[in-house]
Amino acid sequence: MASPMPAPLLYPSPSEAALKLHFLGKKIKDVPAPAAIIDLAIVSRNCRLMLETASELGVAFRAHVKTHKTTQLAKLQVGRDSRSVKLVASTVSEIENLLPWLLECKAEGKEVNVLHGIPITPSALPRLSAVARVLGEGSVGLFVDHPAHIKLLDASALDWPGQIPVWMNIDVGYHREGVSAHSAQLADVAYALAASKRTRLAGLYTHMGHSYNVSSPAEALEHLALELEGLEEGAVEFLKIAGARETKDANAQKVILSIGATPTATAAQNLFEDTEGAKKYRAMIEKINKSFAVELHAGVYPVMDMQQLATRARPAQSSIHPLLSFADLGLRMLVEVASLYPDRGEKPEALIAAGSIVLGREACKSYPGWAVVSPWPQSSGPHYDPEGSQTGWIVGRISQEHGVLTWEGPTEHIRLLEIGEKLLVWPNHACIAGVNVGWYLVVDSDTGNPETVVDVWVRWRGW
């Protein structure tokens, strides 16, 4: 059978060296728009805080790379000194592009484990098998939630090294992938796995996507607890059907329970407050961690976005961690004013040459727009705040290549715009806003020159 073609060959990326020669040292204002700007200081801080939270809770952390699709940010998510590299990816391309760095990690003696975050398909299997052969036994895990997945692996993954680590997807109410704890389908998968010679259960995984609807730290923690309880329930039921037996061997390998989404993982940062609720949830994690190995996973938290601010997953006042605010948003999109319409409607409007192709089309529950215009080029200043003045420019309407800015609130102190003026906006959903850019321009607000491009991170392409 012909060798599968990996994404780096099918979707070649631009030369990183050439991009750096062109962009390094330039000011943001001199960069052609649209462009995606990442602040290294902010994303480094967000990554460090998540790793510290997991460590203090005594659980592992698995970083999702789908938001940014870059090796550089994946390294920040894992942490420079970590001896364990745990990742989850949404596409085979992401895993293939991670391979050179993962091989370096293996050579340094680090534990490498990467999951393909969609139930396995016949098209993906040959390419994932090729990666597994390079990284070695146990390094690549696959999602399953149907007995046909086990049959596929038994019949077709003949060149996979050793037994194939599979992760059972449990649905705790989001209804994306996965099955519920007491469904007949879960039992069917358990029976198929028990009979399989090629696969072994490595863990159970759930994604609490509906946690994006929360509006307070308390709600986010409730979702985290429901997620953990639901996953534990599914694990116990699954293992019982599969014929697992209890053991008193302290060295026996535990089944992993992987929970999370950025709102619930961010909410875990509240567990160190001296409150009864925090104590209760910490005790729950400690109890389940005795029988299973609990890990958190999350993806968009390094860059954050307007949707994450709307969840209020970190409290407005905190004695432990810094506040979740606009200062935690690490991604801004550079756009350019194409025209002005001060009096064509009930409120002043302007046109930017950036629509859904640049910003995405996902709404945000906290305000009626698709992005918020930041105070830039001022380092700080008034801007639209859904929880504050609600006065300023937002992207109020959107088409494919057109974004219509609308002025919200009183017009007495309106920020006057000019055609050709460049703006930095905070998008609603960073995962979607970055899809159509080929690279990120990186600045660092911890330096004396926060307007200067200091690095270029090329995004991976393809599926």
Side-chain angles (χ1 to χ4, degrees):
M1 185 173 69
S3 299
M5 187 79 76
L9 288 178
L10 290 171
Y11 304 95
S13 297
S15 166
E16 184 175 307
L19 289 171
K20 288 182 176 181
L21 282 171
H22 181 71
F23 285 112
L24 293 192
K26 286 191 173 182
K27 302 295 184 182
I28 295 175
K29 65 181 179 63
D30 298 322
V31 170
I37 312 295
I38 277 184
D39 190 322
L40 178 62
I42 295 175
V43 298
S44 296
R45 183 173 67 242
N46 290 343
C47 289
R48 184 169 60 251
L49 181 55
M50 189 65 78
L51 291 172
E52 289 172 355
T53 298
S55 177
E56 289 177 49
L57 285 175
V59 301
F61 180 73
R62 186 178 297 274
H64 209 311
V65 300
K66 69 171 185 173
T67 296
H68 55 85
K69 298 179 188 284
T70 68
T71 300
Q72 293 92 335
L73 193 37
K75 290 179 178 180
L76 292 176
Q77 287 180 286
V78 168
R80 179 180 300 176
D81 299 325
S82 175
R83 302 304 300 169
S84 178
V85 180
K86 292 179 177 288
L87 303 168
V88 56
S90 286
T91 65
V92 183
S93 170
E94 292 162 18
I95 297 175
E96 290 171 335
N97 278 283
L98 281 166
L99 188 57
W101 171 54
L102 295 180
L103 285 172
E104 291 177 12
C105 293
K106 295 273 286 189
E108 294 169 0
K110 296 182 178 181
E111 175 197 0
V112 170
N113 184 260
V114 57
L115 307 183
H116 180 238
I118 293 180
I120 187 63
T121 61
S123 296
L125 185 56
R127 290 165 62 193
L128 289 167
S129 293
V131 174
R133 291 195 300 274
V134 173
L135 286 178
E137 184 175 350
S139 295
V140 180
L142 304 180
F143 281 11
V144 299
D145 64 8
H146 194 282
H149 295 135
I150 304 298
K151 293 178 182 178
L152 169 67
L153 296 176
D154 281 340
S156 303
L158 303 179
D159 54 355
W160 193 286
Q163 283 191 300
I164 304 166
V166 299
W167 291 67
M168 181 67 198
N169 282 122
I170 301 296
D171 175 29
V172 294
Y174 188 42
H175 301 330
R176 191 173 71 176
E177 73 281 336
V179 296
S180 63
H182 297 288
S183 68
Q185 188 165 319
L186 180 136
D188 291 341
V189 178
Y191 290 133
L193 184 65
S196 171
K197 303 298 184 185
R198 296 287 295 119
T199 62
R200 64 174 177 84
L201 181 67
L204 292 93
Y205 187 103
T206 191
H207 174 65
M208 199 71 162
H210 46 315
S211 62
Y212 279 62
N213 295 323
V214 305
S215 299
S216 71
E219 281 187 61
L221 283 174
E222 287 173 10
H223 275 65
L224 179 68
L226 289 172
E227 187 177 23
L228 186 54
E229 289 173 340
L231 194 57
E232 182 194 29
E233 185 180 8
V236 170
E237 189 69 18
F238 190 89
L239 291 171
K240 185 175 19 174
I241 296 170
R245 297 288 183 269
E246 290 188 11
T247 177
K248 294 183 179 180
D249 182 1
N251 297 317
Q253 188 173 12
K254 293 180 180 178
V255 172
I256 299 170
L257 301 188
S258 189
I259 62 170
T262 290
T264 51
T266 298
Q269 296 164 13
N270 302 319
L271 292 177
F272 306 104
E273 300 286 341
D274 188 22
T275 65
E276 290 304 313
K279 293 175 184 177
K280 180 181 75 172
Y281 295 129
R282 284 202 309 270
M284 177 189 299
I285 292 173
E286 290 169 4
K287 175 178 176 293
I288 295 175
N289 220 13
K290 291 178 181 178
S291 302
F292 299 94
V294 177
E295 71 174 27
L296 296 174
H297 60 255
V300 75
Y301 69 93
V303 294
M304 294 292 189
D305 51 32
M306 291 302 298
Q307 288 185 347
Q308 294 305 316
L309 287 190
T311 68
R312 301 179 183 139
R314 274 214 311 262
Q317 299 294 328
S318 173
S319 60
I320 304 295
H321 293 304
L323 314 182
L324 187 60
S325 69
F326 284 94
D328 297 301
L329 304 188
L331 172 68
R332 296 167 294 172
M333 304 302 291
L334 182 71
V335 300
E336 194 166 20
V337 178
S339 195
L340 303 171
Y341 313 105
D343 55 5
R344 74 174 180 183
E346 295 180 356
K347 58 182 76 173
E349 295 184 348
L351 182 71
I352 57 172
S356 61
I357 296 297
V358 175
L359 301 174
R361 195 177 274 278
E362 294 196 32
C364 181
K365 67 180 184 178
S366 65
Y367 77 109
W370 280 263
V372 170
V373 177
S374 76
W376 183 86
Q378 304 302 318
S379 58
S380 62
H383 60 81
Y384 184 92
D385 184 348
E387 297 185 32
S389 68
Q390 298 185 3
T391 299
W393 289 106
I394 67 170
V395 180
R397 298 197 303 279
I398 202 163
S399 302
Q400 180 171 314
E401 305 291 355
H402 302 70
V404 177
L405 300 183
T406 59
W407 178 265
E408 305 295 321
T411 58
E412 287 84 355
H413 301 290
I414 186 171
R415 175 182 174 181
L416 298 177
L417 303 177
E418 298 180 359
I419 292 176
E421 183 176 354
K422 290 173 182 172
L423 307 170
L424 284 175
V425 304
W426 291 298
N428 284 351
H429 191 176
C431 302
I432 305 301
V435 164
N436 285 300
V437 299
W439 52 86
Y440 296 110
L441 301 179
V442 181
V443 297
D444 188 349
S445 59
D446 276 350
T447 68
N449 298 295
E451 299 293 308
T452 302
V453 177
V454 298
D455 205 353
V456 181
W457 297 348
V458 176
R459 279 176 57 94
W460 312 316
R461 300 176 56 225
W463 290 269

